[in-house]
Amino acid sequence: MNLCKKTYIVETDIVATKDEKFTFDVTKRLKGVVGEKGVLVLLYPTRTFSNALSNDSTLNHIVSHMQDLGLNEIKILNLFSTVADGKLSAKGLNVDMQNLEYINSIMKSPTFKEYKFIIAWGSSLATSIACKKTKAKILEMYKTLYPKGKVYQLISSNSKIRTDDVVHPLYLGIRDKNSLWSLAEYHISDKLVNTETKNPLKIVEKKGSV
């Protein structure tokens, strides 16, 4: 028999508050795998220190398809930093300014240009004004900092590119988990960026980087 052995390690980094009430960043890194880096923004049940190794379905689908996407590291940013046991309710939900400030600091990091910027929030909390404002602000921040930068979305070999709304990994995972996933360029519309412009959000600049 012509046997060989290879070892693969999935590293997990988490940036959260000490009381574990807010998580800002979950990074998955495939050791021993060659690939690029990506920043993925979406909505998912937030992990924290206590359940760092207990991946939910969304994170499992992302890790399972990282090699399809040509990535060996993916920094996952949530639309809201509040740690919740289940789905966030749109009722009483407010824009998470603390979380937006963190995302803004990531975008301004000198290493950000090494990452592919991917949005995968699908139709999450479609009726929530706070969620619509958050999505618009994230795109506005990116477009301001990187006017010629590319934004990517997830697609699968069996699905059509959706131009009206980016696809969530859980959506693809349920319907096309056995298909090859890839990245397709997503074109930001001015209409989406200008959502709720009557109440613009202002990011407060902080000294130092995260």
Side-chain angles (χ1 to χ4, degrees):
M1 292 187 295
N2 186 18
L3 300 179
C4 65
K5 179 180 179 180
K6 293 185 179 181
T7 301
Y8 297 93
I9 299 172
V10 180
E11 288 185 346
T12 301
D13 295 339
I14 292 181
V15 178
T17 54
K18 289 183 178 181
D19 60 11
E20 301 188 59
K21 291 183 178 180
F22 303 95
T23 295
F24 298 94
D25 183 339
V26 175
T27 298
K28 294 290 184 177
R29 191 177 299 106
L30 306 182
K31 305 296 288 186
V33 174
V34 177
E36 297 182 282
K37 300 176 182 179
V39 169
L40 181 68
V41 187
L42 73 165
L43 184 71
Y44 69 100
T46 308
R47 301 294 92 181
T48 189
F49 305 131
S50 299
N51 59 4
L53 302 180
S54 177
N55 287 342
D56 66 291
S57 297
T58 297
L59 290 179
N60 280 333
H61 287 308
I62 292 171
V63 173
S64 295
H65 289 276
M66 282 176 65
Q67 285 186 275
D68 293 356
L69 301 172
L71 305 174
N72 66 2
E73 180 179 321
I74 193 159
K75 183 181 292 293
I76 304 164
L77 306 177
N78 214 337
L79 292 176
F80 299 91
S81 63
T82 302
V83 175
D85 294 330
K87 292 183 179 179
L88 285 176
S89 172
K91 186 177 180 181
L93 189 64
N94 296 313
V95 174
D96 189 339
M97 293 303 298
Q98 188 177 222
N99 190 53
L100 284 175
E101 289 168 7
Y102 181 83
I103 294 175
N104 190 50
S105 72
I106 291 294
M107 289 183 179
K108 288 187 173 182
S109 168
T111 60
F112 184 78
K113 291 182 179 180
E114 299 174 8
Y115 292 76
K116 290 187 174 180
F117 184 60
I118 310 159
I119 53 175
W121 48 57
S123 57
S124 304
L125 297 174
T127 62
S128 168
I129 297 298
C131 193
K132 290 179 181 179
K133 286 183 176 181
T134 297
K135 293 175 182 178
K137 186 60 185 179
I138 290 171
L139 294 178
E140 178 191 323
M141 290 189 301
Y142 182 82
K143 198 170 183 179
T144 298
L145 292 169
Y146 306 98
K148 295 183 179 180
K150 290 184 178 181
V151 179
Y152 295 91
Q153 63 177 326
L154 302 174
I155 61 170
S156 77
S157 56
N158 289 330
S159 65
K160 296 180 180 179
I161 297 176
R162 294 172 52 177
T163 55
D164 58 327
D165 198 4
V166 291
V167 180
H168 194 282
L170 188 57
Y171 177 95
L172 278 185
I174 292 173
R175 291 159 180 79
D176 285 328
K177 69 177 181 179
N178 295 321
S179 301
L180 289 175
W181 292 13
S182 58
L183 297 175
E185 190 172 352
Y186 175 77
H187 299 284
I188 303 174
S189 70
D190 291 334
K191 182 179 179 181
L192 182 57
V193 173
N194 293 330
T195 298
E196 300 295 330
T197 51
K198 292 182 180 179
N199 297 297
L201 302 175
K202 182 178 180 181
I203 298 298
V204 178
E205 299 295 336
K206 291 185 176 181
K207 294 182 179 180
S209 59
V210 178

